[in-house]
Amino acid sequence: MQEEKTLESKNNTTSTLLIGSCFDKQWILQTNEAGKINDYVCLICRQIASNALELNCPQHEDTDELLIVGDQCLKQFLKENSNSCPIELHNGCQYSKNKPLQKYIGDLTVMCLKQFEQTSKALNETEKEGETPGISKCDFKGKLKEIKDHLDKSCPLSVINCWFKPFGCNYICHRHNLDKHLIANMKFHFGLVIQSFQSMTQTIQLHQ
């Protein structure tokens, strides 16, 4: 049970990184040169801007560089600072979507986010323990905008429910371990299906 809670926690952390926050700069740097992405760093959190917005307040019109922030970062900053601009804390912050920039960031090449997280954790453990733990791998390499679909549908390191969850099996595991679970629990799963079918049959008979 404790392992299941840990797996769920890891999965939720990754989902939050993709949905709410800006993108981890160290992750993006694994497959991109620093000079290629420095112009797309969020001015608030210093990570790579997610759903990038451009600040275009009149107070900064003489600035040569793009003033880029992540959508969620800016919303949170404005909420906590009475709608003051994150550049000079003046009132009436103005911003707009920068679609060409959003497309460029979305087309950046990235490795699997879960592979990056797992490798980083393994390196930290190696430094502490002096040995390299055995880890599973995901060889995904694609566009940043494709990463969520990859994690949801094919990443072997993603945490997923058992196929028989609708019938009552609450087992969760990494995708690459699912086959092992299904093979080892065929009889159990068959029993759940039979039990569900019998329950449905009884319900239909009662209504007739």
Side-chain angles (χ1 to χ4, degrees), residues 6-18 22-24 26-28 30 111-125 133 135-136 138 147 151 155 157-159 174:
T6 302
L7 289 174
E8 286 181 328
S9 176
K10 288 180 180 178
N11 217 36
N12 290 337
T13 299
T14 302
S15 298
T16 301
L17 286 173
L18 290 175
C22 289
F23 303 113
D24 189 324
Q26 292 305 313
W27 170 44
I28 304 297
Q30 302 302 307
M111 66 183 293
C112 174
L113 178 57
K114 286 190 175 293
Q115 180 65 58
F116 168 73
E117 293 171 342
Q118 183 168 266
T119 302
S120 299
K121 180 182 177 182
L123 289 173
N124 290 334
E125 291 177 351
I135 57 175
S136 300
C138 174
I147 189 68
L151 294 175
C155 178
L157 303 179
S158 289
V159 176
H174 291 108

Side-chain angles (χ1 to χ4, degrees), residues 52-91:
L53 301 174
E54 182 180 356
L55 299 178
N56 42 34
C57 313
Q59 290 87 341
H60 318 307
E61 60 183 11
D62 293 331
T63 303
D64 293 332
E65 61 181 313
L66 286 174
L67 302 177
I68 302 302
V69 292
D71 179 49
Q72 290 299 318
C73 277
L74 181 60
K75 287 179 179 177
Q76 188 66 28
F77 186 92
L78 294 177
K79 181 179 179 181
E80 295 175 353
N81 294 276
S82 303
N83 290 319
S84 296
C85 177
I87 304 300
E88 296 177 355
L89 295 180
H90 61 76
N91 293 326

Side-chain angles (χ1 to χ4, degrees), residues 18-44:
L18 290 175
I19 297 171
S21 310
C22 289
F23 303 113
D24 189 324
K25 188 177 180 181
Q26 292 305 313
W27 170 44
I28 304 297
L29 282 172
Q30 302 302 307
T31 46
N32 296 274
E33 296 179 3
K36 185 178 179 181
I37 63 173
N38 282 341
D39 290 338
Y40 314 115
V41 172
C42 171
L43 294 172
I44 298 173

